[in-house]
Amino acid sequence: ISAEDAVFLPNMETAINFLHDAQPLYGDQVAVFGMGVVGLLTSSLLGRFPLSSVVAIDPIPQRRAAATQLAHANAAVDPTAVGAVVSIAAALHRPSPRPLYSGADVVLELSGQPAALDMA
């Protein structure tokens, strides 16, 4: 393994542990708050699952672009934009099979920001 790849091993281990804890299922809709290194790696792994959608949520435009281009997110939303909650809900397009519930089946808050945790 190259030194350039090896530098990501600890962060990739963290991303894998998040997926083990979250246990996404076939067809789930997943919202990921925070597209730093761990968020992008986590979203990239989620892109390999047979999910209905992965929505990346981050205030930094370059991170949102990376989420859709590199991490295969279906949508990327700025949580500070007016109507962000509506945008997130629109990106989670499939009605949930769970009665009395709509929205993400799995939410991962990886930004470390209290406001993101409140929105999640």
Side-chain angles (χ1 to χ4, degrees):
I1 187 167
S2 71
E4 290 82 13
D5 290 337
V7 75
F8 290 104
L9 287 176
N11 289 318
M12 183 58 85
E13 178 187 15
T14 301
I16 290 169
N17 285 329
F18 283 135
L19 295 184
H20 281 243
D21 290 343
Q23 298 181 357
L25 301 174
Y26 177 85
D28 274 355
Q29 299 187 109
V30 181
V32 182
F33 286 79
M35 290 293 113
V37 172
V38 174
L40 286 170
L41 290 171
T42 302
S43 295
S44 179
L45 290 172
L46 286 166
R48 299 171 185 264
F49 281 67
L51 301 172
S52 176
S53 61
V54 176
V55 179
I57 302 150
D58 197 283
I60 300 172
Q62 295 86 346
R63 289 181 176 183
R64 291 194 307 274
T68 55
Q69 294 168 2
L70 303 174
H72 311 292
N74 301 90
V77 177
D78 180 352
T80 64
V82 174
V85 173
V86 173
S87 297
I88 294 167
L92 299 169
H93 49 80
R94 178 187 55 79
S96 175
R98 296 176 178 97
L100 304 176
Y101 175 79
S102 63
D105 301 300
V106 175
V107 177
L108 296 166
E109 198 296 294
L110 307 179
S111 71
Q113 297 296 318
L117 184 57
D118 291 341
M119 187 179 277

